[in-house]
Amino acid sequence: MYGCAIAGGRVYMALYIGHDTILVEGDARALSGPAPFNFRPLFTEITNDTNERLHQVTNWGAGIWVARTGNGSIMRYETGGDVLVNHILLTDRFGSPVKKDINHINSVMQYGDTVLFTATHAGTQSMIGLMDGKKVTGFGYRNTGVHDIYLTEDDFLFFDTFGDRDSIVGGRPVTGRGTLFPDLFGKPPGFVPRGAAQTGDEIVIGSSHKGERKTRFKGNGQLIVAEAGAVRSVLTLPVAQVYQIVNERGGFLKAPSPAPDAAAIRRMFESALGKPIYEGEAIVSEIPVGTEV
């Protein structure tokens, strides 16, 4: 499972089974009691490579977003609907859609009317992007491998998953003010951070096994637990990879209220990351529920 979200009493999961990447919908009551999920597939896609799997799933209102990484797009589904709305985010310099896993779009979140996403590759760097209507704006970050993008109550946070190429320290959570918890993430052997959620003052950050790609499913991942602005504990997991964390109410990090508009978010990103490296328009189409491609 690469992503999980809860919306409208339903739970949504992005699964990878055999060569298929599948978005399923089930009964959220099964998460906390002896009830059946009664899963049904909403979308199935045959992958050519493990990188093409559906990635992060997040919720906004009564619907969800899913990162359709192999297609270079994000999809929106409203609970009870009969279509998924696919948004190809990037076009080439001739205006043609980039419909393959070139930039590795792996994360998506929504705040108000603005949708945020991350792309692991944008040339020799990563990209933090936002979609306002169909308008897409992307900001560069110096390292490849970015994952997750959240707005917090007064800032933003994303994960520089692997850190500097020549560093023995590893990845780090990046905010507009710099590294979060630098005393922990600034020391070797370091972490591979991905996924975060919050309940009250407690924040949990995931970290995957650090090692060569061929050993990525061996070893142990970790959960980093922080409270009142300080790390309280680091828990070792019996699994190697952490992709996403969601709290029992379906939430992630505590969001700003009210949600800022797209112009305010652009100013926030530009102040920390510099001028945009990409501007374009998303290409939108509908996919019937139950489609297999």
Side-chain angles (χ1 to χ4, degrees):
M1 182 171 66
Y2 281 76
C4 181
I6 303 168
R10 311 297 287 166
V11 60
Y12 300 88
M13 299 181 184
L15 307 178
Y16 187 60
I17 302 173
H19 293 288
D20 292 344
T21 183
I22 309 171
L23 177 66
V24 298
E25 177 189 55
D27 190 337
R29 291 175 297 181
L31 294 170
S32 58
F37 280 107
N38 292 324
F39 283 127
R40 68 164 181 147
L42 300 178
F43 176 79
T44 303
E45 188 166 17
I46 298 173
T47 63
N48 297 306
D49 181 87
T50 56
N51 286 335
E52 294 183 357
R53 297 158 290 199
L54 297 173
H55 277 57
Q56 192 174 73
V57 185
T58 58
N59 63 293
W60 180 261
I64 58 125
W65 285 98
V66 57
R68 188 184 172 193
T69 306
N71 185 249
S73 65
I74 54 177
M75 294 190 298
R76 174 73 177 172
Y77 173 71
E78 295 290 337
T79 299
D82 55 7
V83 297
L84 298 100
V85 183
N86 192 62
H87 301 70
I88 295 176
L89 293 172
L90 306 177
T91 58
D92 64 22
R93 67 175 58 194
F94 302 106
S96 296
V98 180
K99 297 190 291 184
K100 294 295 182 181
D101 180 25
I102 294 173
N103 304 104
H104 200 72
I105 295 166
N106 56 27
S107 302
V108 56
M109 292 290 292
Q110 183 173 353
Y111 297 93
D113 296 327
T114 308
V115 179
L116 307 183
F117 66 93
T118 61
T120 295
H121 304 292
T124 59
Q125 56 187 328
S126 297
M127 186 165 68
I128 310 295
L130 63 89
M131 183 174 70
D132 175 21
K134 291 185 180 180
K135 182 180 179 182
V136 178
T137 307
F139 297 86
Y141 176 72
R142 68 174 191 266
N143 295 329
T144 59
V146 158
H147 208 287
D148 299 277
I149 176 64
Y150 305 100
L151 295 186
T152 59
E153 290 181 287
D154 60 353
D155 204 349
F156 65 84
L157 182 146
F158 63 82
F159 293 117
D160 179 357
T161 312
F162 306 109
D164 300 332
R165 185 178 299 273
D166 58 352
S167 173
I168 62 171
V169 173
R172 54 187 174 265
V174 177
T175 74
R177 301 179 179 91
T179 299
L180 185 69
F181 307 129
D183 290 345
L184 178 71
F185 288 97
K187 298 176 182 178
F191 298 90
V192 182
R194 278 191 302 235
Q198 181 174 6
T199 299
D201 291 331
E202 182 181 75
I203 296 175
V204 178
I205 295 173
S207 178
S208 295
H209 168 65
K210 186 181 180 186
E212 296 181 5
R213 184 174 179 83
K214 63 183 179 182
T215 66
R216 66 182 305 184
F217 295 111
K218 300 178 181 179
N220 300 94
Q222 296 152 311
L223 292 180
I224 298 156
V225 183
E227 194 168 14
V231 174
R232 190 178 74 206
S233 59
V234 178
L235 311 176
T236 299
L237 297 173
V239 295
Q241 296 289 312
V242 180
Y243 296 104
Q244 188 173 354
I245 301 176
V246 57
N247 70 27
E248 63 184 0
R249 295 187 302 278
F252 301 97
L253 295 182
K254 191 178 294 182
S257 182
D261 61 20
I265 297 172
R266 277 194 293 267
R267 289 193 297 270
M268 185 189 311
F269 286 162
E270 189 166 330
S271 176
L273 303 171
K275 296 290 185 181
I277 61 170
Y278 177 85
E279 293 182 280
E281 188 170 293
I283 297 173
V284 182
S285 61
E286 292 187 349
I287 302 172
V289 164
T291 293
E292 299 182 15
V293 295

